[in-house]
Amino acid sequence: MSTAMRTCILGGEIARRSWLGLSRPVLTAWALSIGAALAIYLLGGGQAWTIATALALLAVVFATTMEWRDKPSLAARRAHDLRNWSRTRRGEHTYRNPDDPAHGDPALDPGWAFPPPLGNTAPLAVAGTGLDDMFIVRTANPGERPYYSVTVAVDGIADGLRGDAAYAAMSAAFGSFLAQMARTSSHVRGLQLLHRSVPHDMTRHTRWAHTRVKRLRDARLLPAVESYGTLIDTLAPLAEEHRTFVVLRFPQTEAFMADTARLARSKNAPIAGGIAQVVRDETERATRLLAMAGMGRVDVLGERRMCAVIRALLDPSFAIDRHRNATWNTCWPSYIGGRDCVAVGTDPRWWTRVGHIRPRAIEPVALGPLWLAPLLTGVDADPGDDDIAPTPTIRTLSVRMDFVPAHRARAATKGDVTADQARKAKEREKGKLDDGSTEVLADASERRRQDLMPGSGHHGVVYTASIAVTGRGPDDLDRACLRVTEAAGESAITEIDWCSGDHDVAMFTTLPLARGLAATPHTR
């Protein structure tokens, strides 16, 4: 008996449900401007000049903060440009590794000990706690609750002769893993999924082939050997290697700190030891569930392996598994951020461009477990030319998910369903015929209501995605981004919002640091 392919609809939130479909900052600015206009009118005694001033204020605020077609407003763009200008003036767009020849040169090195986008991020000191093998990163940047993160390497689901039933079973198993992590008894409040695609190193296979060929004694096999050698030479520049990582995020909540304090008191250990114990217990549970979900081999990364991953994600010159000399203090390569990309390396050797994939960019259509396959494994390689050798497209896809407890998700869904049904009824009474947006929004909220019914075991989630594309030069990077955009279109993604002026900051959302999603009222 075959099982039907599991499908889901991730898109559907094609518009905001707020008043006039505007974001909260815009509504706040309008409310403040209306209050200021009323104050001017009342304090001026209702004279003609006060009315003109109040109207001019409202007109200016409206013109600068209005968002057209979900694009940033004029005020938002100017604030973004001002922020980038300020960062560049202070040298926050540049970092020099200690091994860089320009390190310490006042004309080229701003003197940062760590890349500025890291902020208050550092490993938790667990030495002497009995859990010295754990590598836990603590992040405590302004505007968000401090959190701890642990990175796990997984094999993922291998391609091959798999049918729809097999993919459906694996998808259901991973969904069960997410539901287990989202329970209130779990301290894991979010995940980051990382997928890295880099050129595959054929050296080990080539050595194996040479060893096998040396053992051959029959001359009749030589044509087959030569043919196989030609095949390796053809495929070697185009072969891809795919690596997958899962980052567990532990916010420093009251419940988390209460369990930490209890364990620290019971074992007469420092608070860092209690934190490491809680994180280790939750990580062991997560790795067990990942293995049960069919994710293959699951390894918790220590300091050297984690730092080697960070270094390789930023600078493809380093292999992900080359971790002998990787440490937190030295794993950050030199880079210089620009408007269109960030140049990585001392030469520089690589150019990286980062884009965001917002939920509204995903088409509201039924998607199966393989809906992201074109973007993950189906991007064409660069054919090269007379000066540049052919090579696969180097890219990193990062998906950040924050869990929403079931009761909060149901409350939000109830309000959305009510608003959508009221809008449909109002348009029906007036005889309006829209472009289908109202129906799509109503279908999305109704699906969430059905999924979140009590007893379903489901929880809510908010998510976003980022993608970093790396090229061997500006032209190579442009071609790589074009190929990635075409693959994204085949994955039901309508657009990639490429960053402008802050690629060096956005690049850190594609590192295993569990970044890339601001807190919402549902996830605080």
Side-chain angles (χ1 to χ4, degrees):
M1 184 175 69
S2 62
T3 303
M5 176 77 78
R6 285 168 53 89
T7 61
C8 59
I9 300 181
L10 299 178
E13 305 301 326
I14 58 176
R16 299 187 182 96
R17 290 184 172 84
S18 61
W19 185 57
L20 297 179
L22 299 174
S23 62
R24 186 169 300 175
V26 174
L27 294 178
T28 302
W30 285 15
L32 293 176
S33 63
I34 291 174
L38 289 176
I40 294 174
Y41 176 77
L42 295 176
L43 293 176
Q47 299 182 21
W49 68 269
T50 61
I51 298 175
T53 303
L55 293 177
L57 173 63
L58 294 176
V60 170
V61 171
F62 175 83
T64 56
T65 60
M66 188 62 185
E67 298 173 338
W68 303 99
R69 297 180 181 177
D70 291 327
K71 297 298 181 182
S73 63
L74 178 62
R77 294 196 298 271
R78 292 296 176 266
H80 181 265
D81 294 340
L82 179 62
R83 168 61 179 160
N84 286 334
W85 174 82
S86 177
R87 287 194 318 107
T88 304
R89 185 179 182 184
R90 293 193 298 268
E92 294 182 8
H93 67 300
T94 301
Y95 171 75
R96 296 291 181 179
N97 185 277
D99 294 333
D100 193 323
H103 179 73
D105 186 350
L108 302 175
D109 183 9
W112 306 110
F114 291 95
L118 267 183
N120 299 324
T121 302
L124 180 68
V126 296
T129 63
L131 298 172
D132 298 12
D133 293 337
M134 291 291 297
F135 186 69
I136 304 170
V137 179
R138 182 178 186 270
T139 301
N141 290 321
E144 64 178 348
R145 186 192 296 270
Y147 67 89
Y148 304 89
S149 61
V150 173
T151 301
V152 179
V154 300
D155 286 342
I157 302 175
D159 291 334
L161 300 177
R162 292 174 178 264
D164 292 352
Y167 283 115
M170 304 298 288
S171 178
F174 188 75
S176 299
F177 160 75
L178 294 179
Q180 292 284 343
M181 292 292 98
R183 290 184 175 181
T184 55
S185 59
S186 172
H187 291 299
V188 178
R189 294 291 88 199
L191 295 176
Q192 181 189 17
L193 305 177
L194 279 171
H195 184 275
R196 176 68 165 175
S197 301
V198 292
H200 181 64
D201 188 359
M202 300 286 289
T203 303
R204 294 180 60 184
H205 182 74
T206 303
R207 290 176 179 173
W208 173 85
H210 279 297
T211 303
R212 302 289 293 182
V213 168
K214 289 180 180 179
R215 299 176 183 175
L216 297 178
R217 296 292 182 268
D218 193 341
R220 292 174 298 178
L221 297 176
L222 291 179
V225 171
E226 294 177 356
S227 176
Y228 188 70
T230 303
L231 179 63
I232 291 179
D233 294 338
T234 303
L235 295 180
L238 306 177
E240 281 188 347
E241 178 182 359
H242 304 285
R243 306 296 289 271
T244 305
F245 305 92
V246 178
V247 185
L248 307 176
R249 186 173 181 272
F250 304 86
Q252 191 172 297
T253 61
E254 291 76 8
F256 179 86
M257 295 309 297
D259 287 350
T260 294
R262 175 178 54 80
L263 286 174
R265 286 194 303 267
S266 65
K267 297 188 176 183
N268 195 24
I271 191 65
I275 293 174
Q277 182 69 45
V278 173
V279 172
R280 190 200 69 169
D281 294 344
E282 291 286 333
T283 302
E284 287 183 348
R285 176 169 170 264
T287 56
R288 184 174 64 255
L289 292 173
L290 280 170
M292 294 172 58
M295 292 295 108
R297 180 176 176 178
V298 181
D299 294 324
V300 181
L301 301 186
E303 178 180 5
R304 292 191 180 277
R305 291 188 62 190
M306 169 72 167
C307 294
V309 170
I310 292 176
R311 182 175 62 183
L313 292 181
L314 293 174
D315 189 345
S317 301
F318 295 92
I320 291 178
D321 297 323
R322 190 190 306 169
H323 61 271
R324 179 176 300 177
N325 60 342
T327 64
W328 181 262
N329 294 330
T330 61
C331 69
W332 312 99
S334 300
Y335 67 80
I336 301 176
R339 181 173 181 81
D340 295 327
C341 61
V342 51
V344 180
T346 57
D347 298 334
R349 292 170 290 187
W350 305 97
W351 280 259
T352 298
R353 184 173 298 161
V354 185
H356 297 303
I357 302 174
R358 308 185 189 278
R360 67 169 181 266
I362 302 175
E363 292 281 10
V365 296
L367 302 171
L370 300 178
W371 71 281
L372 267 180
L375 187 58
L376 297 178
T377 61
V379 180
D380 295 333
D382 188 272
D385 52 29
D386 295 338
D387 299 325
I388 300 179
T391 184
T393 303
I394 303 174
R395 60 200 182 277
T396 302
L397 179 64
S398 170
V399 178
R400 163 77 184 276
M401 298 186 295
D402 277 2
F403 302 135
V404 180
H407 66 280
R408 293 185 184 178
R410 292 191 193 108
T413 300
K414 179 181 178 182
D416 291 343
V417 172
T418 302
D420 293 338
Q421 295 299 330
R423 186 182 297 109
K424 287 182 65 176
K426 186 176 181 180
E427 292 180 354
R428 191 182 304 112
E429 290 178 359
K430 294 183 177 181
K432 288 185 176 180
L433 183 64
D434 69 338
D435 60 354
S437 300
T438 301
E439 185 176 353
V440 171
L441 286 171
D443 290 344
S445 59
E446 181 61 28
R447 282 194 306 271
R448 282 191 284 124
R449 189 183 72 85
Q450 294 289 338
D451 291 339
L452 292 168
M453 282 186 175
S456 64
H458 295 165
H459 297 262
V461 65
V462 290
Y463 65 94
T464 188
S466 301
I467 187 167
V469 184
T470 301
R472 296 161 293 179
D475 294 338
D476 185 40
L477 177 60
D478 290 339
R479 295 194 301 270
C481 290
L482 180 60
R483 295 192 299 272
V484 168
T485 302
E486 292 175 351
E490 297 177 7
S491 297
I493 298 174
T494 57
E495 65 174 337
I496 298 177
D497 187 9
W498 299 106
C499 302
S500 178
D502 52 2
H503 292 276
D504 54 304
V505 177
M507 181 172 59
F508 282 76
T509 65
T510 61
L511 298 181
L513 300 173
R515 294 188 175 181
L517 193 62
T520 68
H522 307 297
T523 58
R524 290 192 182 99

